[in-house]
Amino acid sequence: MTPRVAIIGSGFGGLCMAIQLERAGITSYTVFEKASGLGGTWRDNAYPGAGCDIPSHLYSYSFEKYASWSRRYPGQPEILSYLDRCADKYGVRRKIRFGVEVVAADFTGRSWTLTTASGEEADFDAVVCAVGQLSLPRLPDIPGRDDFAGVSFHSARWDHGHDLTGRHVAVVGNGSSAAQLIPDVAARAARLDLYQRTPSWVIGKADAAFGPLTRMALHHVPGLQSAYRSWIYQYFEAALWPAFAQGWSAGILRARARHHLRGSVADPVLRRKLTPEYPPGCKRILVDSGFYPALTRPNVEVVTDPIVRITPDGLQTTAGTRRADTIVYATGFRTTEFLAPIAVTGRDGSDLRERWREGAEAYLGISVPRFPNLFLLYGPNTNLGHNSIVFMIECQVRHILNCLPLLGSHGPMEVREEVMAAYRRRLERAMAGMVWGRECGSWYKNAQGRITNNWPARTALYRRLTASPPLPAYRFVARSSH
Ligand code: NAP
């Protein structure tokens, strides 16, 4: 029996799953996409300056290498068009149901019934959730937010119809999104106030455009592109990973960031404001594409006085009120909610939200006990601070492809509760040594302080674990009528 597979989401993860199913000759799948276009985070994050801080020769599918990236760190439009081309080349676009939001998934004892926002129901043998960790924008809980009389929007919902030329713009937040959009906004706005709660560690960006000769060489010289890709991967593993595990390169990373700050910002008062007290890597490290230079412009001010409330014409801080006619919330995403908007009910009525009350968890970030034939891509504890997520997604897709043939022959399969418990203990032990547990808030942690998002080991270990045969970690559950 060829399983009927539902894929929820058409970003890097969902597309990878769909393409690999096509390549395996399994065409009995449907991709549900609530938006009108594919691309996930690369469709949503279209703010000026958006791009990836992992070089695209690595941040792309291993089976669909692309020699013609315009530069080492291309912008969002180029990444989105790469995904568009992949969808067309492998013929998966025709399987995507755009504008269809899945709101509930119920395991019926034999299969999964998905319910869409319009009330339509459809049955599938397996469900692959590829909704990402960074898909739900988080607006801050600042009193008076709704009273603001000007224009305000989240960085992932950029208002392209609103011209910022000559405006007084307030940017709340200073993570990766803010750092990328600020250079463009600062160049256009009359004034930009950056409301910074916690400074970020920032390193320089070794970006470079690829000329026609380099691109031609990458395209035609056998093995060159693979070698370049592999070099980037190995560099991140060898040099960055030890810093996060508080190893040998932690001091070097700190010195590198301090050196970058000294070289970019001459004013010692501003430098002090921008110097974090927590170790680098505790929060996502920013890669500077003009962020520090923008902060030294005369029309830009870094405001560190805490915001008290938002008024109709500005932001009131503990030091007074500052006028703004536009507010950009670069305040990140509801990253620890994972599948929360979808009501997922597994075997014997198990409720996924209830199961994850203390924090989301899944075996290899992919499978949850009592939720047979449900698979997650970029699920709990599979995020990286130092390497390409596409690598992790490809490992997950391979694991799911190893599971699918077993469904037909043995019935629904779910990961064993005791395997999940042992995996959890292993994760906790590994997590204890990681920098993310130190004194800083970040999107990697949930409200209880549990790190639900990051993978606490080298990516090679993840590849090894996900490549091993799924059995005996899983068991088959008897088919029942309910
Ligand atoms: P983020 O890293 O979660 O940053 C959110 C920012 O908003 C933080 O500075 C946070 O301050 C601030 N904030 C939140 N609530 C606030 C409040 N009530 N008052 C004041 N400040 C508040 O979000 P992001 O910048 O959108 O980035 C999210 C992730 O997306 C990144 O870490 C990265 O993994 C990915 N991303 C990658 C790229 C890239 O590849 N270059 C670009 C964009 C995003 P605190 O630090 O004090 O909490």
Side-chain angles (χ1 to χ4, degrees):
M1 177 198 95
T2 310
R4 298 161 298 165
V5 183
I7 301 170
I8 307 176
S10 67
F12 254 106
L15 282 182
C16 185
M17 188 74 238
I19 291 170
Q20 295 296 19
L21 286 174
E22 285 282 343
R23 294 177 90 202
I26 302 172
T27 54
S28 48
Y29 70 91
T30 303
V31 184
F32 293 89
E33 172 52 65
K34 68 178 176 183
S36 57
L38 57 79
T41 196
W42 294 108
R43 175 202 59 229
D44 288 347
N45 286 277
Y47 55 78
C52 188
D53 53 17
I54 300 288
S56 281
H57 281 93
L58 177 62
Y59 191 85
S60 46
Y61 299 128
S62 62
F63 55 85
E64 188 57 37
K65 296 187 193 72
Y66 178 52
S68 300
W69 293 109
S70 64
R71 51 195 316 112
R72 194 172 292 151
Y73 296 94
Q76 171 265 347
E78 210 172 329
I79 299 171
L80 185 58
S81 66
Y82 166 80
L83 290 174
D84 265 317
R85 278 198 309 279
C86 288
D88 290 332
K89 175 173 173 182
Y90 291 95
V92 304
R93 190 187 295 276
R94 68 199 157 86
K95 296 295 195 70
I96 307 177
R97 294 192 58 197
F98 290 108
V100 180
E101 181 178 5
V102 174
V103 293
D106 295 276
F107 183 66
T108 62
R110 291 167 183 276
S111 57
W112 283 89
T113 301
L114 299 191
T115 307
T116 69
S118 66
E120 184 196 340
E121 291 189 348
D123 285 347
F124 294 91
D125 299 303
V127 177
V128 178
C129 286
V131 298
Q133 294 191 8
L134 299 161
S135 60
L136 307 168
R138 186 160 64 89
L139 288 168
D141 239 353
I142 303 173
R145 189 161 53 79
D146 293 337
D147 301 337
F148 185 60
V151 173
S152 65
F153 46 87
H154 188 272
S155 53
R157 298 288 181 269
W158 197 263
D159 183 347
H160 291 277
H162 180 63
D163 186 3
L164 292 173
T165 311
R167 304 272 183 189
H168 286 194
V169 182
V171 176
V172 182
N174 61 316
S176 306
S177 302
Q180 289 189 337
L181 65 88
I182 278 173
D184 181 273
V185 175
R188 280 188 288 147
R191 205 185 73 208
L192 187 159
D193 289 338
L194 166 61
Y195 290 82
Q196 171 191 282
R197 196 163 59 177
T198 321
S200 297
W201 286 103
V202 182
I203 55 174
K205 186 179 200 174
D207 197 8
F210 293 117
L213 276 181
T214 313
R215 283 193 251 171
M216 212 153 61
L218 285 166
H219 194 73
H220 293 292
V221 177
L224 182 62
Q225 200 184 162
S226 296
Y228 178 48
R229 181 182 170 96
S230 166
W231 179 83
I232 305 167
Y233 170 80
Q234 296 298 349
Y235 167 77
F236 285 135
E237 283 301 295
L240 263 188
W241 168 255
F244 294 169
Q246 301 179 55
W248 67 271
S249 59
I252 296 176
L253 191 57
R254 183 188 290 262
R256 190 176 152 196
R258 281 185 182 280
H259 177 75
H260 180 63
L261 177 59
R262 269 198 309 275
S264 312
V265 178
D267 174 6
V269 178
L270 179 56
R271 261 203 324 256
R272 235 184 339 272
K273 275 187 188 178
L274 297 173
T275 305
E277 286 175 359
Y278 55 85
C282 191
K283 284 177 192 293
R284 175 89 181 193
I285 294 171
L286 311 190
V287 181
D288 194 344
S289 46
F291 178 52
Y292 276 165
L295 299 187
T296 64
R297 292 173 65 109
N299 65 328
V300 176
E301 187 163 343
V302 178
V303 182
T304 53
D305 311 304
I307 303 169
V308 176
R309 63 178 301 108
I310 291 172
T311 64
D313 59 358
L315 289 87
Q316 183 192 334
T317 71
T318 49
T321 300
R322 304 177 69 90
R323 214 166 67 73
D325 51 39
T326 306
I327 303 179
V328 176
Y329 292 109
T331 42
F333 300 86
R334 287 146 48 204
T335 53
T336 55
E337 295 182 21
F338 293 91
L339 308 184
I342 305 173
V344 184
T345 310
R347 189 163 57 79
D348 304 325
S350 302
D351 179 341
L352 191 63
R353 287 181 193 143
E354 183 55 29
R355 184 174 174 105
W356 283 356
R357 206 155 28 94
E358 300 295 313
E361 59 173 24
Y363 173 64
L364 302 175
I366 300 173
S367 303
V368 186
R370 307 186 75 80
F371 293 81
N373 296 3
L374 175 77
F375 303 101
L376 315 181
L377 293 180
Y378 193 23
N381 294 110
T382 63
N383 179 57
L384 304 174
H386 74 291
N387 216 323
S388 169
I389 291 305
V390 184
F391 174 93
M392 302 295 273
I393 287 171
E394 288 197 49
C395 292
Q396 291 146 17
V397 168
R398 219 171 298 138
H399 181 85
I400 297 167
L401 285 174
N402 286 339
C403 291
L404 289 181
L406 303 172
L407 308 185
S409 46
H410 298 83
M413 64 191 281
E414 68 175 49
V415 67
R416 295 170 185 275
E417 201 71 74
E418 65 274 19
V419 170
M420 181 67 235
Y423 180 75
R424 181 187 308 127
R425 286 193 295 274
R426 196 171 170 184
L427 269 186
E428 281 166 3
R429 275 198 305 276
M431 209 61 92
M434 299 305 304
V435 68
W436 316 305
R438 303 286 285 277
E439 315 74 46
C440 81
S442 76
W443 64 263
Y444 307 150
K445 290 177 191 164
N446 70 3
Q448 290 89 339
R450 185 162 151 191
I451 297 163
T452 53
N453 293 64
N454 283 11
W455 170 247
R458 287 185 183 275
T459 56
L461 175 63
Y462 189 74
R463 176 161 50 190
R464 211 163 50 242
L465 292 175
T466 47
S468 51
L471 298 176
Y474 290 78
R475 71 189 189 96
F476 296 99
V477 293
R479 291 175 196 275
S480 67
S481 57
H482 213 273

